[in-house]
Amino acid sequence: MTLPTVRGWRRRVAGIAAAVLVAGIGAAPPAAAATSTVDTALEWYDATAATIATGTRPQVTNSRAWAISWLAAARATRTGAGRHYQEAALASAVHTALTTLIPEGAPTLDIALRTTLERIPDRRTRQRGVAAGRTEARSLLAQRAADGLDPASVNPAFPTPDPGPGIWQPTPPSLTTAQQAGTRFATPFLLDRADRYRPGPPPAPDSERYRADLAEVRAYGAADSAVRTPQQTDTATFWLGSSLTLYTGILRAALAQSTRPIATRAGLVAIFHVALVDTQIATSDAKYAYLRWRPVTAIRAGAGGDPQWTPLHPTPAHPDYPSGHNTYSGAAEQVLTALVGARARGPYTVTSPSQPAATRTYSDWRRPTEENIDARVWSGIHTRTADEVGVQLGRDVAAYTVSNAARLFA
């Protein structure tokens, strides 16, 4: 399976963008100059990120919290006109959703809500916005209450398959049982079924394509690789951390650079995370449909293998195909390209939790995807085919999300 041609990709993006405009999502004119110097959407974006960063919940559970809180905000801001009303509605919706989903964050979120509301001079406007935000958040929380994205449902006990060529087995050093096996059974926000875009099977273990994939990982992804450059090691390390955390900075850049009204900007964040939740459900479906072993297992156990081979970075505890990091990247790139454009309004700089002292600067949304594909190979974690197929799966799910985004606001 290969990535789409540039021409096909451009046609697809153009078609998606047109569908979004017809649906009325993102078609609003630029916002008028605000009298306040505080960007309320960005203020609550940062509050959301800080709240979600607490604890050890699965990534998809955190993505769900983003999606619920900002979809509620996007709906609430569309229930009335006026910047102050919409600011109160956004703050109230995000506050209500997050304090319910992550109650330990309530004290800090309460302070943030008071700070926002104190800037709104008209009491009646403030109260109406707060009421709208609470109503939308409570409604959506009730709707998603049993969606299967809580930590216990995401990570049920999963029996280790019998070993065999190509079959996933727990990986060293932790030999942890398979994780995220339950995500495939969760209820998507928009996707009609988890396997709608399930890719075809991975290359057979004895195929030429798989042998080439494995040879690349063996050479470039080894902890003691003699061919991986320092720059490649940096790329692998930068992109090692949680995809949600890494893309929080990228989406923030798009939000900060936007001149659209607050309701449209809230919609961008909501659609982004709805797409990412549905992508993670589709990823789990594909991973556990194929149960493809990880490179470390193949290299150690295969014919002529190296039982001492060790990847640069520890291998996550779930199957190789497709790469979850790259389904996330593909979906994120697709949403931002469709709703913002192929390029950012200006250069943006992001950080990484797995390489705290480093920053990287980009001018578009595609370059992070390209780096992510390479990074998982150079980490010794994924084959290139798993990465490339992951990108396409993410793009497919996100394209479906954007094309059907009007249903989120009906």
Side-chain angles (χ1 to χ4, degrees), residues 150-156:
D150 58 283
S153 298
V154 168
N155 282 319

Side-chain angles (χ1 to χ4, degrees), residues 40-52:
T40 301
L42 211 55
E43 177 184 45
W44 278 92
Y45 186 93
D46 291 341
T48 305
T51 301
I52 288 177

Side-chain angles (χ1 to χ4, degrees), residues 16 67 83 98 198 247-248 265 283 289-290 307 347 355 407:
I16 293 168
R83 180 172 60 85
L98 289 182
R198 182 190 291 175
Y247 272 90
T248 294
R265 296 169 76 212
T283 301
Y290 295 119
Q355 198 178 30
R407 289 164 44 199

Side-chain angles (χ1 to χ4, degrees), residues 161-169 201-207 210-211 214 289-303 319-321:
D162 292 335
I167 304 300
W168 182 86
Q169 297 291 296
D206 60 352
S207 67
Y210 191 71
R211 286 195 296 269
L214 210 57
Y290 295 119
L291 286 171
R292 171 50 60 94
W293 63 5
R294 287 282 187 158
V296 63
T297 307
I299 292 169
R300 289 187 176 193
D320 177 62
Y321 181 92

Side-chain angles (χ1 to χ4, degrees), residues 21-69:
L21 292 174
V22 169
I25 309 298
T35 57
S36 170
T37 58
V38 177
D39 184 333
T40 301
L42 211 55
E43 177 184 45
W44 278 92
Y45 186 93
D46 291 341
T48 305
T51 301
I52 288 177
T54 63
T56 56
R57 296 168 297 276
Q59 176 172 282
V60 71
T61 302
N62 284 331
S63 293
R64 171 185 183 262
W66 272 101
I68 290 174
S69 57

Side-chain angles (χ1 to χ4, degrees), residues 29-391:
T35 57
S36 170
T37 58
V38 177
D39 184 333
T40 301
L42 211 55
E43 177 184 45
W44 278 92
Y45 186 93
D46 291 341
T48 305
T51 301
I52 288 177
T54 63
T56 56
R57 296 168 297 276
Q59 176 172 282
V60 71
T61 302
N62 284 331
S63 293
R64 171 185 183 262
W66 272 101
I68 290 174
S69 57
W70 281 80
L71 179 53
R75 289 175 175 176
T77 55
R78 286 164 167 75
T79 60
R83 180 172 60 85
H84 286 155
Y85 173 89
Q86 293 176 342
E87 287 177 336
L90 183 149
S92 174
V94 175
H95 173 273
T96 301
L98 289 182
T99 53
T100 301
L101 296 169
I102 308 175
E104 63 269 27
T108 301
L109 291 166
D110 289 346
I111 294 171
L113 181 62
R114 286 197 299 271
T115 299
T116 299
L117 297 181
E118 285 171 358
R119 295 197 303 267
I120 299 174
D122 184 78
R123 179 172 175 270
R124 184 178 178 185
T125 297
R126 185 170 62 239
Q127 289 178 333
R128 287 175 53 244
V130 167
R134 286 176 179 165
T135 297
E136 294 292 349
R138 289 169 179 169
S139 174
L140 190 52
L141 285 164
Q143 178 186 338
R144 300 294 303 184
D147 61 7
L149 290 169
D150 58 283
S153 298
V154 168
N155 282 319
F158 185 84
T160 298
D162 292 335
I167 304 300
W168 182 86
Q169 297 291 296
T171 52
S174 65
L175 300 178
T176 303
T177 56
Q179 301 294 295
Q180 302 173 30
T183 304
R184 68 197 194 276
F185 301 124
T187 302
F189 278 81
L190 284 175
L191 198 63
D192 56 350
R193 64 179 197 272
D195 66 349
R196 167 172 279 277
Y197 296 109
R198 182 190 291 175
D206 60 352
S207 67
E208 182 178 348
R209 175 64 182 271
Y210 191 71
R211 286 195 296 269
D213 275 346
L214 210 57
E216 182 184 23
V217 178
R218 187 172 184 173
Y220 286 88
D224 59 354
S225 173
V227 295
R228 187 182 59 245
T229 67
Q231 292 77 18
Q232 290 169 335
T233 301
D234 283 345
T235 296
T237 303
F238 188 90
W239 286 101
L240 179 64
S242 158
S243 293
L244 176 62
T245 303
L246 286 159
Y247 272 90
T248 294
I250 293 175
L251 178 57
R252 188 188 191 281
L255 187 68
Q257 292 180 4
S258 175
T259 59
R260 297 289 186 173
I262 193 169
T264 305
R265 296 169 76 212
L268 169 64
V269 179
I271 293 168
F272 183 97
H273 284 287
V274 163
L276 267 297
V277 170
D278 285 5
T279 293
Q280 289 171 83
I281 293 171
T283 301
S284 178
D285 165 76
K287 280 181 177 290
Y288 287 92
Y290 295 119
L291 286 171
R292 171 50 60 94
W293 63 5
R294 287 282 187 158
V296 63
T297 307
I299 292 169
R300 289 187 176 193
D306 178 357
Q308 302 303 315
W309 188 89
T310 300
L312 173 64
H313 295 125
T315 301
H318 41 75
D320 177 62
Y321 181 92
S323 162
H325 256 59
N326 281 288
T327 62
Y328 204 107
S329 288
E333 178 195 341
Q334 177 87 345
V335 171
L336 291 173
T337 300
L339 299 183
V340 178
R343 300 185 64 81
R345 292 173 63 89
Y348 63 94
T349 299
V350 294
T351 59
S352 166
S354 50
Q355 198 178 30
T359 61
R360 293 198 169 209
T361 300
Y362 305 99
S363 59
D364 62 16
W365 319 117
R366 191 179 186 93
R367 182 60 186 164
T369 302
E370 294 170 345
E371 289 187 5
N372 221 337
I373 291 172
D374 289 334
R376 304 309 269 177
V377 174
W378 298 336
S379 282
I381 290 173
H382 277 298
T383 62
R384 187 168 294 277
T385 294
D387 292 339
E388 293 176 346
V389 171
V391 168

